[in-house]
Amino acid sequence: MALQKTVNVQQAFGVPGDFYDDSPRRVHAYELVNNSTTAPAVGLAYTATSTAGQAQPGGSGSFLGICVNPKSQALFGGLTPSLTLPSGAIGSLCSFGHVIVQVAAQVDTSYLPIYNTTTGVISGVTGGSSSAGPGNAFIPNATFVYVSADANGLAVLELNGFANAPAAAGA
């Protein structure tokens, strides 16, 4: 066995849905339901459904937030690690704070955050873009901060809240 020759200066970055730091945050609980093609999962973007207190991955309704707190979710389906949740699970959606997200394509801090309206997967478009592209929508009042990320890498998304939020479950 060889001796260790390098020492990491930084701690491990985290997993999708973790908070990046201890800055202020706003989180509401919603019942997470499948949309027509995607099961709920931690780290995706969610929008309101036509039923009060429910949220779906992606969608074209009011943006509600990013599903966070992966370590507070029960593991379903055995011991295989997964961020996927069953339809009907209660999830925490963050609308204000610094959240670690997995991005589908390369982004840097100048990119504008978008989500796929079918899957809720997050990516970005170059700053100054007026269009999120087909099948995508802008994440309102959000920016990528602190780090750049490669495709399928981890980035930090700063969510700055939204106006006229729909009522959360039990509110």
Side-chain angles (χ1 to χ4, degrees):
M1 182 165 104
L3 295 174
Q4 180 177 350
K5 295 182 180 170
T6 60
V7 176
N8 289 333
V9 177
Q10 296 179 330
Q11 292 183 359
F13 192 60
V15 297
D18 271 347
F19 288 104
Y20 178 73
D21 56 19
D22 62 352
S23 62
R25 54 190 72 143
R26 182 181 310 124
V27 177
H28 294 286
Y30 288 89
E31 179 185 2
L32 307 179
V33 296
N34 295 349
N35 66 18
S36 59
T37 61
T38 306
V42 175
L44 298 179
Y46 284 79
T47 61
T49 68
S50 58
T51 303
Q54 283 188 346
Q56 66 181 346
S60 57
S62 298
F63 180 79
L64 297 176
I66 307 298
C67 188
V68 295
N69 295 329
K71 296 170 189 115
S72 69
Q73 296 294 337
L75 184 60
F76 296 93
L79 297 177
T80 304
S82 175
L83 295 175
T84 303
L85 304 170
S87 186
I90 302 300
S92 302
L93 300 186
C94 178
S95 61
F96 183 90
H98 293 140
V99 178
I100 298 172
V101 295
Q102 185 171 8
V103 292
Q106 182 268 330
V107 299
D108 66 37
T109 56
S110 69
Y111 279 47
L112 300 173
I114 61 172
Y115 66 93
N116 183 289
T117 56
T118 302
T119 63
V121 172
I122 298 166
S123 57
V125 294
T126 56
S129 294
S130 60
S131 171
N136 294 303
F138 285 106
I139 298 175
N141 303 316
T143 56
F144 289 109
V145 294
Y146 304 125
V147 296
S148 298
D150 293 327
N152 297 314
L154 298 177
V156 178
L157 186 62
E158 180 178 83
L159 300 161
N160 292 309
F162 48 85
N164 303 320

